[in-house]
Amino acid sequence: MEEQEEEPEKSPSRASGAHSCSSLIRLEQEAKRRKRAQLQQRKAAAAATIMPVRESSDDVLDLAEYAKNRSWWRKLFGPKSGSSAEKYSVATQIAIGGATGWCTGFIFQKVGKLAATAVGGGFFLLQIANHTGYIKIDWQMVERDVSKAKEQLKFRSSPTKKLTPEMKNKMDEVISFLKKNVILTGSFVGGFLLGMAS
């Protein structure tokens, strides 16, 4: 019987260096485990350099230092958090501006149609009610109110009245934003017009 047990080891299909399928699979799994262990060691070492382990509970975590070591945080809120012209390429600015402009224009168009339908329908119903006698309109009172409104509009639009300092500051901020982000603003306006047209 001992001779029969030794025969499979000496068979030509299992020459030196040849492995069975199951042993190859085991070898691959072991290699994957080793790679995973190495990756985990690297991640642990990197995490230790980014955020040091606190020795005691009395230590204070410096969030500013922690944020500096985070690349996505630096990209988003780093020293280049100025205009989009500095952060993004021209193609990205055009895509962002065009897409947001189109969405805004499309929504504006739908809401505008709904508002126009509501106002027009309300006016139409009021005219029908007036014509059938349900409503009596005092046209003299309407003329007095319209003339008062005209006088107020003339007074407010007179050139002697100037902008308040808060309004002037806001206008300056808007103008400086538009100057810094010309490409983004232009593509937004173009997208808005396309959204209104679609």
Side-chain angles (χ1 to χ4, degrees), residues 67-68 70-82 87-88:
K68 286 180 186 175
R70 295 286 189 195
S71 61
W72 67 271
W73 188 264
R74 272 188 278 143
K75 285 180 184 176
L76 194 60
F77 298 110
K80 287 188 174 183
S81 62
K87 290 194 287 187
Y88 302 109

Side-chain angles (χ1 to χ4, degrees), residues 30-59:
E30 287 176 25
K32 287 179 183 179
R33 281 189 211 120
R34 276 190 239 119
K35 283 184 182 180
R36 275 191 233 127
Q38 287 174 351
L39 284 174
Q40 288 176 351
Q41 288 174 349
R42 286 182 198 153
K43 286 180 182 179
T49 59
I50 291 174
M51 187 173 170
V53 178
R54 296 191 303 175
E55 295 172 0
S56 69
S57 62
D58 296 335
D59 289 347

Side-chain angles (χ1 to χ4, degrees), residues 107-123:
I107 291 170
F108 192 78
Q109 174 206 25
K110 296 297 180 187
V111 170
K113 281 183 181 179
L114 183 66
T117 302
V119 170
F123 184 72

Side-chain angles (χ1 to χ4, degrees), residues 60-67:
V60 177
L61 175 64
D62 186 11
L63 289 177
E65 194 63 36
Y66 179 71

Side-chain angles (χ1 to χ4, degrees), residues 181-194:
N181 301 301
V182 174
I183 296 172
L184 184 71
T185 306
S187 60
F188 179 85
V189 170
F192 182 82
L193 294 175
L194 287 174

Side-chain angles (χ1 to χ4, degrees), residues 14 21 28 58 60-61 63 72 79 94 97 100 108 121 147-148:
R14 294 190 183 200
C21 289
E28 287 178 19
D58 296 335
V60 177
L61 175 64
L63 289 177
W72 67 271
I94 290 172
T100 55
F108 192 78
S147 65
K148 284 181 188 177

